[in-house]
Amino acid sequence: MRKWLELIDAALTFLERTTVALLLLVAVVILVADVALRAFFGLALAWAAELTRYAIVWLVFIGGGIGARSGAHISIDVLGAVLPPRMAHRLAQFAALIAAGTTAMLAWYGWTLVSQMKQFGQTSASLEWPMWVVYLAIPTGCTLMSVRFIQNAFFLSKDARRLTAAQSTA
C-alpha cells in the first residue's frame, strides 16, 4: 500500500511542478512577445494580458499544492517549538488535518461556484473562454492542497521531510 501511495505522490508532484513550470513559461513568453511587438512594431496582442492573468491564477492555485506538500505555507509554530517532540508531532498532525479540512471546504464551495458559472454561460472579454474554466482553478488548487495536507498528516512519522513540513504548519 505504501508503495502505491509513494507512486501517486511522485506522479502528483511531477504533474504539479510540470504544470506550474508550463504556466509560468506561457505567461513569460506572452508578456515578452506582447512587449516586443508593442516596442518594435506598434502592435498589441489584445488577449495577452487576459491570458497571462489566467495563467498566473492557475499557477498560484496549483502552486498552493506544492507549498502544502513542502510546508511552505505561512504558519505559527510557537507551540510546536515549546512542546515536547511527541506532542509537537501530534500538534503538527492536527494542524495539517485542520488545514486539509479548511481547503477541502474551500474546494467544495469552489466546485459550487464553478457549476454556477457554467450555468451563467459567461465568457471572458478577449479570449471568449467560458469563465467557469478560469474559476476551476479554485477547486482544483484547493483539492490539491487538501490532499497534500492529508499526506502530511498521515506520513509524518515515516518521512522526515514531511515532519519538518508539517511542523512548520503547526
Side-chain angles (χ1 to χ4, degrees):
M1 179 70 165
R2 176 138 171 99
K3 189 71 170 171
W4 279 103
L5 293 174
E6 288 173 357
L7 286 172
I8 291 169
D9 177 56
L12 191 56
T13 299
F14 174 79
L15 285 172
E16 286 171 336
R17 290 181 178 176
T18 302
T19 302
V20 164
L22 289 173
L23 287 168
L24 182 60
L25 180 66
V26 165
V28 169
V29 167
I30 289 171
L31 279 177
V32 168
D34 191 39
V35 168
L37 287 171
R38 285 175 194 256
F40 298 117
F41 302 106
L43 299 172
L45 301 173
W47 47 268
E50 189 173 288
L51 183 58
T52 302
R53 187 178 320 116
Y54 297 155
I56 291 172
V57 165
W58 271 90
L59 184 149
V60 166
F61 276 99
I62 293 173
I66 295 170
R69 183 182 190 279
S70 65
H73 286 274
I74 295 172
S75 62
I76 300 170
D77 59 355
V78 173
L79 280 177
V82 298
L83 289 174
R86 186 172 173 89
M87 287 180 70
H89 180 77
R90 294 292 177 219
L91 178 64
Q93 286 180 311
F94 180 70
L97 289 174
I98 294 294
T102 302
T103 52
M105 184 180 66
L106 289 171
W108 175 264
Y109 286 114
W111 287 113
T112 303
L113 178 64
V114 166
S115 66
Q116 288 175 350
M117 294 301 294
K118 213 171 179 181
Q119 289 175 352
F120 295 149
Q122 183 181 359
T123 59
S124 63
S126 299
L127 294 168
E128 296 183 4
W129 286 357
M131 286 305 293
W132 68 266
V133 173
V134 177
Y135 281 85
L136 190 61
I138 298 168
T140 302
C142 289
T143 300
L144 284 171
M145 284 186 271
S146 187
V147 166
R148 294 312 199 164
F149 283 126
I150 290 169
Q151 283 180 319
N152 282 343
F154 286 106
F155 295 118
L156 284 177
S157 58
K158 301 192 177 29
D159 187 351
R161 183 185 65 242
R162 289 194 193 278
L163 177 58
T164 303
Q167 283 174 337
S168 72
T169 307

